[in-house]
Amino acid sequence: MTRLVLVTNDDGYDAPGIHALIEAVQPLGQLVVVAPDREQSAASHAITLDRPLRVYRADEGRYRINGTPSDCVHLGITHFTGGRLPDLVVSGINRGLNVGDDVTYSGTVAGAFEGTLLNVPSIAFSAEIDNEGRSDFSRAGGLVRSIAQRVLGHGLQRGVLLNVNFPAGDYRGIRVTRQGTRSYRATAFEREDPSGRPYYWIAGMDMTPTGEPDGDHLAIREGFVSITPLQVNLTHEPSLEDLSRWDLEAG
Ligand code: MN
């Protein structure tokens, strides 16, 4: 049976990254593309509950939605794959890395989270922006395809997704990594609007890369493609016992 692959992103349907992703996974099976109609970067795992979602069919098996990446994957799986669970969800290729703390904000990674929650093996792909402000998506294509192919063949453990990041410049190899810790210092600018009232603009520009030897940041900084297995369940196991000893009922 032909494999069914659901494709989404957070940079929007017209972004070059998703077209590179489509091209890369096209040979793997039948594609259904469901993507936001505009940029949804940093949408995280939001789903839309308070307004109707509209779907614009762009082509055979291609849909654009006025919603988030998670909306796209959710609607894709429930309505646009002909009642069949896809064999794979791929999200990206994002313009810009999703490493360290980016992961919790990322709409690209959330698209893969949503696929995982709905029991479909899922992968998020992101590419670093180089010094000229460009992301070279085409170069990632071969590895995108081979990683996707491997996941199609082997599957992933339940509740686990892959977060893949491509460095700018030549690839020195592939490294399996952990999600790094904080990468941005809290930054927000205060300005004044024309009527003299202050407004604020959050911009996480101030990157402080962390140097965990097996972390995603370091792999990218050293020119390696980074593959991080992430889990949907966020429970911190070691704290369970600690907390149960707090004796909270005693007041
Ligand atoms: Mn994005």
Side-chain angles (χ1 to χ4, degrees), residues 186-223:
T187 330
F189 298 94
E190 186 185 276
R191 297 280 189 273
E192 220 170 67
D193 75 11
S195 55
R197 287 181 309 168
Y199 68 87
Y200 299 86
W201 200 310
I202 294 174
M205 314 270 286
D206 199 359
M207 190 163 172
T208 329
T210 48
E212 292 104 338
D214 53 356
D216 46 14
H217 293 113
L218 193 67
I220 293 294
R221 206 163 12 150
E222 293 183 347

Side-chain angles (χ1 to χ4, degrees), residues 7-15 18-19 33-41 43 48 51-58 62-73 75:
V7 183
T8 195
N9 77 342
D10 81 353
D11 292 335
Y13 188 91
D14 296 316
I18 195 169
H19 295 288
V33 179
V34 188
D37 63 355
R38 67 200 69 189
E39 181 166 355
Q40 292 286 339
S41 291
T48 303
R51 63 176 172 83
L53 292 168
R54 301 284 179 190
V55 177
Y56 307 91
R57 192 158 154 181
R62 311 249 170 135
Y63 307 87
R64 43 203 308 166
I65 291 180
N66 62 341
T68 64
S70 299
D71 291 331
C72 292
V73 172
L75 290 189

